[in-house]
């Protein structure tokens, strides 16, 4: 049986006592830069990139290929990630010159947001007991009108399946058991004030996602070790993302032009993180969402889900 068949409905298959645990106290697999599984090599460097990347792309004969290898963060489509067990999606948006649509982007432009949202909707229609956390946290080259159109698009596609920011449900009653009594199957965090025009969205106040900003796996582990044992989580019902992510510096990229994010960094980041997290406990102040690149690799998803065996209500 393929991994996606095993984990495509893992929430619905949890034992009853686990469905009574708040979502913010469960171990939930997530993907980093979830939409960056395909990038348009012919579309030019995206607006999210710093000047050194633009300079590299313009001066190097294979500059776009270099950017592509270091910008690609996933192999699976968003629907494929969900079918493999991911329940937290991290989407970075960018207005694309010459296009009427907002796209995902990371170095280069990816798919239209509308197409990715349609993948999520298809998955939820096929798996009615699963619940997805959708995090919009980076925006580039977008106007107030663009933000409003994105928010309206999300509402149009998902409607009443969005758990609104005005829900009377407290963080501690936000369990799968209780959510299944409602139409809600999606929670949307939107890190821009435009969300305040609508009642469907949550602010970043409800989602902590500290970033180690390092290319060293030992520094990554030390960062999480400090946060875990020094109670970095407020424990007041917010969600928390533990990022199994190494970030390339300009020096790293220039020194490894023929390599890639996957070969040079992800191959070290995920195993190091999994070795660190294996004895940790999901709880309101412990492990919650765990996010990685190339989520189908290194036994990432099964390892994170296995942590829920330690969960107690």
């Amino acid at each position: 049986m393929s991994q996606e068949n095993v984990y495509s409905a893992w929430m619905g298959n949890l034992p009853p006592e686990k469905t009574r645990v708040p979502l913010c106290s469960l171990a939930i697999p997530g993907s980093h830069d979830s939409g960056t599984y395909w990038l348009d090599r012919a579309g030019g460097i995206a607006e999210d990139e710093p000047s050194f990347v633009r300079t590299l792309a313009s001066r190097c004969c294979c500059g776009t290929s270099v950017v592509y290898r270091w910008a690609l963060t996933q192999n699976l489509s968003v629907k494929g990630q969900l079918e493999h067990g991911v329940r937290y999606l991290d989407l970075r948006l960018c207005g694309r010159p010459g296009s009427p649509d907002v796209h995902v982007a990371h170095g280069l432009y990816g798919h239209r947001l509308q197409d990715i949202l349609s993948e999520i909707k298809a998955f939820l229609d096929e798996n009615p007991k699963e619940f997805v956390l959708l995090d919009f946290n980076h925006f580039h080259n977008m106007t107030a009108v663009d933000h409003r159109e994105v928010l309206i698009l999300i509402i149009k596609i998902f409607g009443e399946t969005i758990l609104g920011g005005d829900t009377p449900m407290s963080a501690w009653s936000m369990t799968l058991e209780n959510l299944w009594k409602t139409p809600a199957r999606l929670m949307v965090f939107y890190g821009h004030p435009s969300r305040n025009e609508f009642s469907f969205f949550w602010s970043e106040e409800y989602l902590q996602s500290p970033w180690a900003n390092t290319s060293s796996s030992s520094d990554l582990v030390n960062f999480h070790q400090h946060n875990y044992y020094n109670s970095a989580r407020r424990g007041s019902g917010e969600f928390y993302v533990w990022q199994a992510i190494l970030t390339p510096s300009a020096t790293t990229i220039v020194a490894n032009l023929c390599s890639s994010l996957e070969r040079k960094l992800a191959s070290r980041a995920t195993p190091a993180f999994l070795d660190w997290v294996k004895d940790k406990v999901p709880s309101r102040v412990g492990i919650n969402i765990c996010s990685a690149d190339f989520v189908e690799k290194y036994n990432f998803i099964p390892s994170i889900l296995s942590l829920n065996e330690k969960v107690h209500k």
Side-chain angles (χ1 to χ4, degrees):
M1 182 179 290
S2 63
Q3 182 176 309
E4 62 266 31
N5 291 330
V6 172
Y7 297 116
S8 61
W10 69 263
M11 286 179 161
N13 292 331
L14 284 172
E17 65 272 16
K18 308 294 184 185
T19 69
R20 294 190 284 272
V21 174
L23 288 179
C24 59
S25 297
L26 282 177
I28 298 174
S31 56
H32 170 247
D33 258 312
S34 310
T36 314
Y37 59 89
W38 174 86
L39 293 168
D40 183 2
R41 299 184 196 225
I45 304 300
E47 298 289 333
D48 67 322
E49 282 302 297
S51 58
F52 87 84
V53 174
R54 296 179 177 280
T55 301
L56 173 67
S58 64
R59 293 184 180 179
C60 178
C61 63
C62 56
T64 300
S65 295
V66 172
V67 173
Y68 176 85
R69 290 195 299 271
W70 283 93
L72 200 73
T73 57
Q74 302 295 335
N75 291 321
L76 300 174
S77 69
V78 164
K79 189 166 187 283
Q81 294 169 38
L82 293 169
E83 289 169 344
H84 275 70
V86 165
R87 293 295 176 270
Y88 163 85
L89 298 170
D90 158 29
L91 297 177
R92 287 93 185 290
L93 303 184
C94 192
R96 180 171 182 171
S99 172
D101 302 300
V102 170
H103 291 245
V104 294
H106 188 220
L108 303 169
Y109 295 101
H111 286 295
R112 297 187 310 162
L113 174 62
Q114 180 172 350
D115 298 328
I116 288 177
L117 296 180
S118 296
E119 290 186 49
I120 300 168
K121 177 67 161 57
F123 171 80
L124 290 173
D125 287 345
E126 295 165 10
N127 298 275
K129 298 192 85 171
E130 302 306 292
F131 191 89
V132 174
L133 303 162
L134 189 54
D135 180 16
F136 295 93
N137 52 64
H138 285 66
F139 308 96
H140 300 274
N141 196 35
M142 290 177 62
T143 66
V145 172
D146 292 328
H147 282 289
R148 191 172 193 278
E149 289 180 351
V150 164
L151 294 167
I152 290 172
L153 176 65
I154 295 169
I155 296 169
K156 179 180 178 182
I157 290 176
F158 295 106
E160 66 176 2
T161 63
I162 303 173
L163 180 68
D166 60 349
T167 178
M169 194 178 293
S170 72
W172 307 119
S173 62
M174 205 178 290
T175 67
L176 288 169
E177 182 181 73
N178 288 335
L179 288 165
W180 289 338
K181 297 172 185 176
T182 77
R185 294 297 177 268
L186 184 78
M187 189 171 182
V188 182
F189 301 92
Y190 200 86
H192 189 275
S194 297
R195 69 176 175 274
N196 295 328
E197 185 179 346
F198 306 90
S199 61
F200 290 86
F201 306 103
W202 298 75
S203 76
E204 58 272 26
E205 174 187 353
Y206 299 95
L207 180 72
Q208 296 183 70
S209 187
W211 174 40
N213 192 18
T214 180
S215 59
S216 162
S217 54
S218 60
D219 287 349
L220 175 70
V221 167
N222 289 337
F223 176 80
H224 289 310
Q225 185 85 341
H226 177 271
N227 286 347
Y228 187 84
Y229 287 109
N230 287 278
S231 301
R233 286 194 70 182
R234 294 189 294 267
S236 56
E238 80 288 343
F239 291 87
Y240 192 101
V241 184
W242 300 86
Q243 296 192 42
I245 307 300
L246 292 178
T247 305
S249 64
T251 302
T252 302
I253 296 173
V254 170
N256 298 275
L257 292 179
C258 295
S259 190
S260 67
L261 180 74
E262 181 175 3
R263 293 197 300 272
K264 192 68 181 177
L265 296 185
S267 62
R268 293 189 289 113
T270 305
F273 178 83
L274 291 178
D275 186 59
W276 171 79
V277 82
K278 64 186 179 185
D279 61 348
K280 305 304 183 293
V281 179
S283 74
R284 67 183 182 87
V285 294
I287 299 304
N288 184 209
I289 299 163
C290 296
S291 175
D293 295 321
F294 309 103
V295 291
E296 79 283 6
K297 296 195 168 188
Y298 314 111
N299 209 40
F300 173 71
I301 291 169
S303 298
I304 299 307
L305 290 177
S306 70
L307 298 176
N308 287 321
E309 296 171 7
K310 307 173 188 178
V311 169
H312 299 285
K313 186 175 182 298

